Amino acid sequence: MVTQVTGFSRNGVSDWLVQRITAVVVAIYSVVLVGYLLFQAEVTYQEWSALFSQTWMQVFTLITLLATCAHAWIGMWTAGTDYLQVHTAGKSADTLRFIYQVVCILVLVVYLIWGVKILWGN
Amino acid sequence: MIVKNDARPINVGFSDLLFVFKWPLPALTSIAHRISGVVLFVGIAFVLYAFDVSLSSDAGFNELKEMMASPFAKFVIWGLLSALAYHFVAGIKHLLLDMGVGETLEGAVFASKVVILFSAILIFLAAAWVI
């Protein structure tokens, strides 16, 4: 078995499962947050900051952020390995794909740290 | 016209893919699922920025509300909501496929039509919400 060292969990079956579970987490969070914004006629700063200072909402948001980053890593990895190949990107495809993967992962790590700072740093 | 005269696989060119190959509906909804995912990957930066400003202070919250009132900001918000809505609906189809629902050719075409219908409704509602 070939292990893809840039895959999220180094295992395709595990990546497949993580992709599904994180999708459900992000979907539930999206519905909850859009629902909140829809049914709250006019959100004030007091209500908004009170919502995000509650432990359950901070935990829910952080779990969603972690899920989003894992989901995006697997998704971007899949798209990159599908399209950045020798017959589409030429001889330097391997180098290009590696750079693309590193950039994707870096961006997601920035998102994660930024999100943690927003949740607990403000 | 591609003539297959031996058993080796053929790599079709990019222009063949775009202009010669007739894309089946499930292929189009699948590539759109990927495109919407990439849009969301980039869009998270805007969402985090807005989230950051909204929780920074009372003044920041009001500043963000003013920013979000501009037509360009509304267009970006609608675009991101549309990408999320499409990715959400197409994702549910994917989960159903994983469970073995709609794996026939007819099932795939029908499911793609349902994805387009439901996401179109959500994208329309998102526009109404943002305006």
Side-chain angles (χ1 to χ4, degrees):
Chain A
M1 189 184 80
V2 178
T3 303
Q4 289 283 355
V5 289
T6 50
F8 177 74
S9 61
R10 315 291 180 268
N11 177 317
V13 182
S14 166
D15 273 11
W16 179 88
L17 188 62
V18 171
Q19 186 79 320
R20 269 70 190 168
I21 294 167
T22 54
V24 173
V25 171
V26 180
I28 293 171
Y29 188 86
S30 305
V31 170
V32 168
L33 201 63
V34 168
Y36 171 81
L37 291 171
L38 267 177
F39 290 104
Q40 206 87 345
E42 187 79 43
V43 185
T44 64
Y45 172 70
Q46 279 69 31
E47 289 165 339
W48 186 245
S49 63
L51 175 66
F52 283 96
S53 62
Q54 291 180 69
T55 305
W56 72 268
M57 192 56 181
Q58 292 177 332
V59 171
F60 192 17
T61 305
L62 185 60
I63 288 174
T64 302
L65 194 59
L66 287 164
T68 305
C69 290
H71 189 91
W73 182 335
I74 298 166
M76 296 299 278
W77 181 91
T78 309
T81 50
D82 274 355
Y83 305 128
L84 291 175
Q85 294 185 10
V86 176
H87 68 270
T88 55
K91 278 180 194 160
S92 53
D94 290 348
T95 314
L96 274 174
R97 195 174 58 250
F98 180 72
I99 294 168
Y100 162 86
Q101 287 170 343
V102 171
V103 169
C104 286
I105 292 165
L106 268 177
V107 167
L108 291 170
V109 172
V110 169
Y111 285 167
L112 190 60
I113 297 171
W114 191 9
V116 169
K117 191 200 157 257
I118 296 167
L119 280 175
W120 284 288
N122 280 318
Chain B
M1 176 75 184
I2 298 161
V3 182
K4 199 170 164 71
N5 52 13
D6 61 25
R8 288 179 300 175
I10 297 164
N11 286 326
V12 290
F14 220 41
S15 59
D16 286 337
L17 265 184
L18 283 178
F19 303 112
V20 180
F21 184 62
K22 192 181 173 297
W23 291 62
L25 197 59
L28 288 170
T29 53
S30 171
I31 194 71
H33 192 187
R34 286 190 158 185
I35 293 169
S36 63
V38 175
V39 168
L40 289 170
F41 170 80
V42 177
I44 295 169
F46 294 89
V47 174
L48 279 176
Y49 171 75
F51 189 43
D52 197 355
V53 177
S54 76
L55 285 177
S56 62
S57 64
D58 205 346
F61 186 84
N62 290 323
E63 196 188 312
L64 182 72
K65 266 195 168 173
E66 273 176 41
M67 270 194 273
M68 282 168 63
S70 82
F72 180 69
K74 283 185 174 181
F75 181 72
V76 172
I77 295 164
W78 175 70
L80 286 177
L81 282 173
S82 300
L84 182 66
Y86 184 83
H87 206 77
F88 182 95
V89 175
I92 289 172
K93 188 193 90 164
H94 224 298
L95 292 176
L96 289 173
L97 277 172
D98 290 340
M99 294 175 209
V101 179
E103 283 179 326
T104 60
L105 181 60
E106 298 76 30
V109 174
F110 175 74
S112 295
K113 287 178 182 166
V114 172
V115 164
I116 292 170
L117 176 69
F118 275 79
S119 56
I121 292 171
L122 287 176
I123 289 166
F124 177 77
L125 289 175
W129 189 27
V130 171
I131 291 168

